[in-house]
Amino acid sequence: MLTIAILVLCLICASQNGVLGSERCRRATSTCILTPETTEGPYSWNTTLMRQNISEDRLGIPFRLYATVTNINTCEPIVNAAIEIWHCDALGIYSHFIQASSNTQNPKSDNSTYLRGMQLTNASGVATFDTIYPGWYTGRATHIHVRVHLNGVYVTSTGYYSDGSLVKTGQLFFNDSLTDLVAQQSPYSNHTITRTLNSVDTIYQSSSITLMNIQYVNSTSGISSGFITSVTLGVSGSSNVSASTTTTTTTASTSSTVVSSSATKISVTTISLHCAYLYLQILPIFYVVFSAFLSR
Ligand SMILES: *[C@@H]1O[C@H](CO)[C@@H](O)[C@H](O)[C@H]1NC(C)=O
Ligand SMILES: *[C@@H]1O[C@H](CO)[C@@H](O)[C@H](O)[C@H]1NC(C)=O
Ligand SMILES: *[C@@H]1O[C@H](CO)[C@@H](O)[C@H](O)[C@H]1NC(C)=O
Ligand SMILES: *[C@@H]1O[C@H](CO)[C@@H](O)[C@H](O)[C@H]1NC(C)=O
Ligand SMILES: *[C@@H]1O[C@H](CO)[C@@H](O)[C@H](O)[C@H]1NC(C)=O
Ligand SMILES: *[C@@H]1O[C@H](CO)[C@@H](O)[C@H](O)[C@H]1NC(C)=O
Ligand SMILES: *[C@@H]1O[C@H](CO)[C@@H](O)[C@H](O)[C@H]1NC(C)=O
Ligand SMILES: *[C@@H]1O[C@H](CO)[C@@H](O)[C@H](O)[C@H]1NC(C)=O
């Protein structure tokens, strides 16, 4: 009898955990950027190098980005999610599309790779990128493209990740007051086209995008020290919530490594705590039902 009772309790608990998770998430996300879905645009490229520093030879003000991937239903960080970013250089040019983005109407790609890269989220769900503050090009406000993939394969011998499922495509936007300051610095100051502001950028205007909260690395030395920011990318769809899920932090071993078949990390402790909490909540109901059963 007791076994059945515990079983019933745990079933109820399991079904309730999602509800509690959403509530926790709703509170937590009020302080973070949950980038809405936006177009990936014409300059995406599917083979992206796994690396933290994507600057290569591009000159500009150093920019460090911490990007956290969370499950929007549970608000738990997702480990081993692959975050990919790409953006233009100070003069508005994208690698792989140098000619196209110079507005020469030539879509032919080149093999340059600057300002593109991918990172797997660590055990805290965070990926770190070092790049430069992007420039701008005709018709678009300054932005960084971002995509998030889950459950892919990272082939360490080639440095490429593939076969993941694409769960988020977004764009990160900058405060125009900050870009005004950046625009006065070399090499951005060499760029003479009229800058498109967020207020007239169709993508920025078409969805409820929050600007990144960007800080100086050193507030005393200001812009020369570079910038630092953190964003949160909420994803849904691939949550694989199970108490038996112990996510392994996959690292390079042999030629090919499957990156965590279930990337969502829900700690057993969290579930147990919820279980205990719910147990206390439903105990009176259970008592009534149980005593009715006994008195039959
Ligand atoms: C890149 O990957 C995305 C999602 O996996 C897919 O929709 C798109 O067609 C791919 N593009 C190319 C050029 O392979
Ligand atoms: C990134 O790489 C570039 C070029 O190799 C280098 O100049 C820059 O200092 C590096 N950035 C960081 C934060 O290490
Ligand atoms: C890019 O690299 C590929 C494969 O190495 C090569 O076939 C192609 O000619 C290169 N394209 C350019 C524009 O350099
Ligand atoms: C993940 O990376 C962030 C940013 O570098 C760092 O603060 C955090 O401690 C890392 N988490 C783990 C578990 O290493
Ligand atoms: C942009 O930054 C300026 C100066 O720090 C600030 O006054 C303004 O409120 C910011 N705009 C937005 C939309 O956050
Ligand atoms: C900026 O423009 C000046 C004058 O045309 C040129 O000498 C300089 O090399 C340019 N700097 C960069 C970083 O492109
Ligand atoms: C910040 O910049 C100031 C002025 O350049 C310098 O004195 C100080 O040591 C810097 N702080 C850090 C933590 O690097
Ligand atoms: C959850 O993980 C299990 C075992 O790793 C896998 O078989 C299943 O397909 C996954 N489900 C989803 C929805 O990803």
Side-chain angles (χ1 to χ4, degrees), residues 104-141:
T104 55
Q105 306 300 316
N106 185 347
K108 193 166 112 252
S109 304
D110 54 90
N111 285 336
S112 60
T113 56
Y114 59 79
L115 308 179
R116 295 175 187 274
M118 182 181 262
Q119 288 284 276
L120 298 177
T121 55
N122 69 10
S124 313
V126 184
T128 306
F129 290 97
D130 284 309
T131 184
I132 57 163
Y133 198 104
W136 52 89
Y137 49 98
T138 304
R140 288 302 319 279

